[in-house]
Amino acid sequence: MAELRNYAAPRSLAEALQVLASGPATVLAGGTDLMPQSRSARVRFASTLLNIQGVAELRGVRRRDGAVEIGALTTIATLRDDPAVRNGAPVLWQACDHFASDQIRNAATIGGNICNASPAGDTLVPLLVLDASVVLASGGAAGILERRLPLSEFLTGPGRTARRPDELLVEVHIPVPASGWVDRYVKFGTRPALDISTIALAVGGTLLDGRLENARLALGAVAPTAIRAHDAERVLAEGPLDRARIDRVVDAADATIHPISDVRASDWYRRELVHNLLRRMLTDVCPN
Amino acid sequence: MAPTPREEAFADSLIGRRVPKLDAPDKASGRTRYLHDINVPGQLHAKILRATEVHARIVSIDVEAARRVPGVHAVITAADVPWQRPIGITKDHMPLKADIVRSRRDEIAAVAADTVQAAQEALRLIRVAYEPLPIVTNSAQALGPGAPLLHGEDLRVPGRNGALEVVHKACSDNVSMAYEYGHGDVSQGERESVVVVEDVFWLHYVTHCCMGVSGVIAEFDASGSLLLYSNTQVPFLHKREFAELLGIDPGRIRIIQPPIGGGFGSKLDIYPFEPIAIFLAKITRRPVKLLFTREEEFIASPTRQPVLLKLRSGCDREGRLTFRAVDTIHDNGAYTSWGATTPFVMMQTISSLYRVPHCHYRTRAVYTNNPYAGSFRGYGNLQATFAVEAHMDKLADALGMDALEFRLLNAQDPGESTPQGMHFRSCGFKECLGTAAERSDYAAKRRRNLEHWNDGNPVKRGIGMASMLHVGGGAKMYPSDGCGTIIKLDDFAKVTLITGASEIGQGSETVLALLVCEELGLPIDSVTVVNNDTAITPWDVGVHASRTTFIGGNSAIGAARKAKRKILEIAAPKAGRTPDDLDLRGGHIVLRATGERIQEIGKFLRSLHFSEKAELVMTTYYYEPPSVHLDRNYKGNVSAAYAWATQVAEVEVDTDTGIVRLLKITAAHDVGRVLNRLGIEGQIEGGIVMGQGYALSEDLLVEDGVIRNPNFRDYKLVTAPEIPEMDVSFIETMDGEGPQGAKGVGEAPAICIAAAVANAIYNATGTRIYALPFTPEKVYRALRGSNMPPKWPADAA
Ligand SMILES: Cc1cc2nc3c(=O)[nH]c(=O)nc-3n(C[C@H](O)[C@H](O)[C@H](O)COP(=O)(O)OP(=O)(O)OC[C@H]3O[C@@H](n4cnc5c(N)ncnc54)[C@H](O)[C@@H]3O)c2cc1C
């Protein structure tokens, strides 16, 4: 932390963007990733630390025009307690329910989880299944520019995103799924609380006559970013979800992933988990 | 019917009641001042530079830039303390390393500065040049021919007269310590067997994870006497050791023990950071405070002893054990601490948990470039029990005998003396077995689970049993295993209990206060316990071996009885009675037979104090248990009592992921007698959770001498949602020597869990896993037959 020179704690988005526009700054939201990372010297702070906690307009969940809009500063605890999330995006709700512990959920924000871009970030997998996009803002006093990117394009690598240094993530945009939508989230960690996902899976789609239409399947901690498994989705869409199809979905997912070995699991074991838990999840979402 | 006065008088007995820990309100409200909260005026902050190589020669250390950092008062290396002396069980370990580093925790330099930040900045500027040496991080390889030697040269330090003397002899085979024990004739046992099983087990690295990280404050006064604020578990032994290290009179060392944030055996030895803080205090003439970071705590505090263990056991046609032969290789790590002495406990379980006519036990503790092992709750017993109880199931199954029947047939009875010389004055082993089996419905569930092995459901259930024997009345490892107590009563019948027994979170001060109140007929809140200052408290050997309630308890009772005797002897003539007619109950001197109140105790004490006799009631007592040292052949009745337990584990195994969930523990413990029910429940439940972590989740990953997961993210302690349902029964055998009949229980609950879980996983899946821990990937691999079971090294004989 040696070179930290300025600390900014703006009250409005415009002020925050002004700070970002004027030079390199490290954004601090809940700090639950940033603080441990800076302590272990994995990130170095820029000369300015920009604490966005005071920007009230970045907080909260709104339901508007067939979408759920989540402010970047909304905490995981708020998401877990919000009926709009629970009803409109149950797969995200499930992920929030499995997220860390109460203490961390109270501080951790969805914007931080997305911008941290860990392959194991727990909200990313359900957000991919929900076809979420992110809203990025830049500018300042003179005016605010916004652009919207699908989450899948925003995540570019482990810890890497398409965010420009002068941009702030301000909102997550989730189209409310059509009626008949079903989804599931499965996180595998060695313990039920306070665990980084060894792998995470989520599936969603419209259930019709034993088939999953418009199916979306996403996986976490098995590739450089959380990913959609498009090939497997195509297999899902082709016909009823019987045993043979589930086997083919699993094969297609297997061909999509590139798990690594680390202290938490070997690449082989991660693959095995994807096979077994994907099979179990699909059987569960469409039982017959 | 209304209670008689006598019944009423005895209704206030505290024994077996649920008494909250005396320190609980302070701890729960954040008022407790731990070592971490103590700051001494004028103190400096110390930090240690550790090796970045696993095994290397130190070519040079450049501290010049570090010395120039503003706020830095001292930067020291071995060169600055030529008078330093070695620490450790075999004196093979210099606090600051001069020429060679042998593990990644090795201390190279230390800084004392005005602030922690300045000290850290100085560390960053120290340059060390190394010349790497070949490393050996596998204990079997360390035994092999041509292995690099870790302590291949004599360790010499200047003696008192300045001349160099050898303090640790060159070790030419990396064997730091070796043990061999036997009784009977194993080959005869082998001939008498119809079933023989042999397996190799691997018991992994775990560490204590005390919530309070290690630390010390060292301060010399103007006359050169040393005051240490230390969380040691053995203040009186360490007083002597520090004196030897410094070449000063032990009388000039005082240790104050602030409340501790967890011990579990980790504070039984002196580690380099303590002498280093003392060196810095001596050199700077300032108080020096040194605290570990959490990462440092993982890297530089001791581990439980990792063990490679080969066990061969047999039984005859009737199911009687015929023999047991054990060979172990202990990974000693780079230096020798208490982990190397765990065979003392392991061989008791091997020779005497069950009746074994022929027995052979051997251990070699082998130097490697790994972290070194210290003492940890259970002291080798978790490792030995893991192997022994696996074989109890395997032998029973091979014979087609019920696993419980098989154990009952071989279990010890009260009154027995074992070939190793242990005498079981009280022994509730068979009651433990019966109670745990019955309350868990062990036999029926064990049978039923087998029917599901091939039913297609990926989630299986299993039940498994394991039992343990552990010292419960101290362990005579030193010339004395005693504890002293001083009791004083003030004018208002408030008691100050001054005891040598240290409180390390186990609840000793509460149980000692309870025992004293029981004798003196006073309420628990009338006691103040003083137990944390060697300048005040009488001698005690320390907190270890589950001894404090037993030894400290008997000592406290002894002092309380003397006080009581004195009161009754003075009160009796005035009441026209003999002392034996009287008793102390409910804050009063009463008639023993009827409970009739004669005088309030406080009033009596005031009248004694302000009478012509002008006396106070103050007593002392020193209790030495009737146990003996082990002889040269490791035989002897080393403890005044022995504790027993059976624990039954029920698990659910998801064969799709390998995750094992612990559903329920049914435990039956022979504790002699329940003193503080709340305290003993807490002790058992906490121990079960610690055993659960050892079995299922905790795994200190040491690869090529480097700890891969020095943090709580990847070193997985058990969290609240994983804690199983617990059904705990207490078997009260009323030990004749124990305080009010009680026996020690501190270590017992952690000992059997891993063994019971292993048996449960087998019952669920038909797969036996020989290596701990049962983390999901390992279990999954084992279920798929794709793991490598532990092997006994060919060249380790
Ligand atoms: C004990 C513990 C347990 C955890 N468990 C989990 C878990 O189960 N699942 C999981 O997914 N994660 C877990 N985490 C990680 C962490 O809590 C989450 O990733 C969290 O969502 C991060 O949010 P934050 O607000 O704390 O982010 P911060 O730490 O403040 O920021 C994270 C990163 O995002 C950037 N950033 C934050 N907000 C913005 C924004 N609006 N615009 C641009 N950049 C921004 C920051 O600069 C930083 O690089 C855990 C962490 C801890 C310490």
Side-chain angles (χ1 to χ4, degrees), chain A residues 132-155:
Chain A
S133 46
V134 296
V135 179
L136 297 158
S138 58
I144 296 176
L145 294 173
E146 284 193 354
R147 62 172 178 139
R148 209 162 108 180
L149 269 183
L151 178 62
S152 53
E153 288 173 34
F154 181 70
L155 303 170

Side-chain angles (χ1 to χ4, degrees), chain A residues 27 29-34 99-100 108-109 112-113 115 121-122 169 187 195:
Chain A
V27 177
T32 59
D33 275 318
L34 204 58
F99 197 104
T109 66
N113 199 238
C115 292
D122 273 330
L169 191 151
K187 167 175 176 170
D195 208 359

Side-chain angles (χ1 to χ4, degrees), chain A residues 191 195 264 266 269 272 280, chain B residues 654 657 714 717 777 780:
Chain A
R191 59 188 181 202
D195 208 359
R264 286 188 272 284
S266 71
Y269 179 57
E272 293 286 306
R280 192 181 278 182
Chain B
D654 185 339
T657 61
D714 296 320
L717 287 177
E777 180 164 356
Y780 187 81

